Amino acid sequence: MIHPHVADALKAPDLVRLDHGLVLLRFESMKIYSALGAVRHLLDEGVVRPGQTLMDSSSGIYAYALALACHRYGMRCRIVASTTVDATTLAQLEVLGAEVEQVRPSSDLKLDQELRVRRVKEILDRHPDHHWMRQYHDAIHYLGYQEVADRIAEELPGRPLTLVGGVGSGASTGGLAERLRTQDSQVRVVGVQPFGSVTFGSQDHHDPEAIIAGIGSAIPFDNVRHHLYDTVHWMDFTHAMSGAVALLKEHAVFAGLSTGAGYLAATHEARRRPDRVHVVIGADTGHRYVERVYARHAEALDVASLKPDEIATPAAMTMPWSVMAWNRTPAHATHRTEAA
């Protein structure tokens, strides 16, 4: 196939078998699917017009995905970025023609996210013709993952599936889960969270290495549909780093930190439920994490010796790794459930 644009080539994931019950869904940059699907839908519905400016707040890979989607469909792109955006991504955004503005540095993720949202609103006040993509809240970001879900179902027939991935905005795990469950309501979804995220109630636990970008949040996200998740894992930076290093060492897969966290959670789940195929979402490659993760590989823990604390309620969670049966409970419900 000759692709009409590089975004169409980059979006497609590879399925890599890690062992009998574990498969990696490896993306070059996962949110390209989400951004392409969202922009195409907005154009088709007449919500936006060709050449209009699309903007959003981002800490990294969504900014790149939106810039590619804008390039693909002839739109302008404007990003209010976190200071955590790496130099490689920033350079690509600028060359692709995106207008990038970074908020002032902050060690507090909540403040960083609030500053970005506040700045987006200020820009919209002055430029009401800009369209705010709202990746954290607009359900159009679910649409792009339907194609991926259909491929998973086609490539992995015959055994019950468990999907494991960082929760983040909720669109990837949520979009895949909803589509997969149209064919099999027993598809399990395991969400992975860092300590410090409000999404599943770990905001009172401070990880000294800071929150894992992309899979947690310091502010509520409307796109997270809590009732889709069967189990939730919370883990600290060191455990996620150890999972990423182990994935490279054992399977030669160079992936991001959220993939490392998902891999560690999936190995635990696969031991508990060997009858199922566990599909780990690999959201991006490891290039953004060379200094912070891979250069520190000597500090990685032996993943074979690691196991989570099994808890019955979010109030009982403990660092560095906890797991709980969420049982598809809505966000507002009180959790009084047995451990995972």
Side-chain angles (χ1 to χ4, degrees):
M1 178 185 296
I2 299 177
H3 297 285
H5 189 274
V6 70
D8 299 286
L10 290 176
K11 72 176 185 179
D14 297 306
L15 285 162
V16 181
R17 187 170 298 282
L18 303 178
D19 63 32
H20 180 65
L22 204 57
V23 172
L24 178 68
L25 185 67
R26 181 191 178 276
F27 289 89
E28 183 82 10
S29 186
M30 178 184 69
K31 291 190 177 182
I32 296 174
Y33 251 116
S34 180
L36 285 175
V39 174
R40 183 69 263 166
H41 178 80
L42 291 171
L43 285 166
D44 289 346
E45 295 296 311
V47 178
V48 300
R49 64 186 185 281
Q52 191 172 348
T53 297
L54 308 182
M55 72 175 301
D56 213 341
S57 158
S58 176
S59 61
I61 64 173
Y62 183 79
Y64 174 62
L66 184 60
L68 282 176
C70 286
H71 192 281
R72 169 77 169 82
Y73 291 118
M75 313 295 289
R76 296 181 183 276
C77 181
R78 189 165 184 173
I79 300 294
V80 176
S82 170
T83 53
T84 60
V85 174
D86 62 288
T88 301
T89 300
L90 187 60
Q92 290 184 84
L93 293 175
E94 292 172 346
V95 174
L96 282 167
E99 184 177 349
V100 183
E101 175 182 339
Q102 290 180 283
V103 297
R104 69 175 186 266
S106 174
S107 59
D108 184 324
L109 181 70
K110 182 177 182 181
L111 178 59
D112 177 78
Q113 291 178 322
E114 289 176 345
L115 286 172
R116 284 187 272 138
V117 171
R118 188 184 311 159
R119 181 57 183 152
V120 167
K121 291 179 178 178
E122 290 172 354
I123 294 170
L124 287 171
D125 285 341
R126 294 204 304 271
H127 300 277
D129 58 320
H130 288 11
H131 181 82
W132 185 9
M133 293 298 293
R134 301 177 74 244
Q135 64 150 323
Y136 304 129
H137 308 296
D138 194 329
I140 59 172
H141 290 91
Y142 271 58
L143 300 176
Y145 295 110
Q146 294 179 1
E147 181 182 333
V148 185
D150 290 344
R151 184 177 169 203
I152 292 171
E154 179 182 350
E155 297 285 349
L156 297 170
R159 289 178 66 187
L161 292 178
T162 295
L163 182 70
V164 184
V167 176
S169 70
S172 58
T173 46
L176 290 170
E178 288 192 336
R179 184 69 167 188
L180 287 167
R181 284 178 180 164
T182 62
Q183 300 183 44
D184 180 3
S185 63
Q186 299 306 307
V187 170
R188 298 186 73 252
V189 180
V190 176
V192 183
Q193 284 275 277
F195 289 100
S197 173
V198 304
T199 307
F200 285 88
S202 67
Q203 63 270 14
D204 294 331
H205 297 262
H206 176 64
D207 182 353
E209 289 273 15
I211 200 166
I212 303 169
I215 68 170
S217 173
I219 59 176
F221 290 167
D222 292 341
N223 267 343
V224 177
R225 299 174 184 175
H226 292 73
H227 66 275
L228 295 176
Y229 298 88
D230 296 280
T231 298
V232 178
H233 286 250
W234 297 265
M235 64 180 67
D236 70 358
F237 171 86
T238 300
H239 279 61
M241 177 184 71
S242 301
V245 171
L247 186 59
L248 179 57
K249 182 181 295 185
E250 296 169 9
H251 302 288
V253 175
F254 185 49
L257 196 58
S258 68
T259 308
Y263 174 65
L264 185 58
T267 57
H268 173 78
E269 294 292 325
R271 287 194 296 267
R272 296 288 301 274
R273 296 174 174 86
D275 59 310
R276 305 182 71 88
V277 175
H278 294 76
V279 179
V280 184
I281 298 175
D284 59 354
T285 67
H287 294 89
R288 295 197 300 150
Y289 306 91
V290 172
E291 292 186 8
R292 189 179 177 199
V293 175
Y294 290 99
R296 297 170 54 181
H297 63 86
E299 301 173 32
L301 306 173
D302 176 12
V303 296
S305 67
L306 304 177
K307 64 178 182 178
D309 290 317
E310 299 185 3
I311 61 174
T313 68
M317 75 175 65
T318 58
M319 295 178 69
W321 183 10
S322 290
V323 60
M324 173 183 155
W326 194 264
N327 293 332
R328 307 189 187 186
T329 310
H332 56 78
T334 301
H335 284 80
R336 301 191 183 282
T337 165
E338 295 180 357

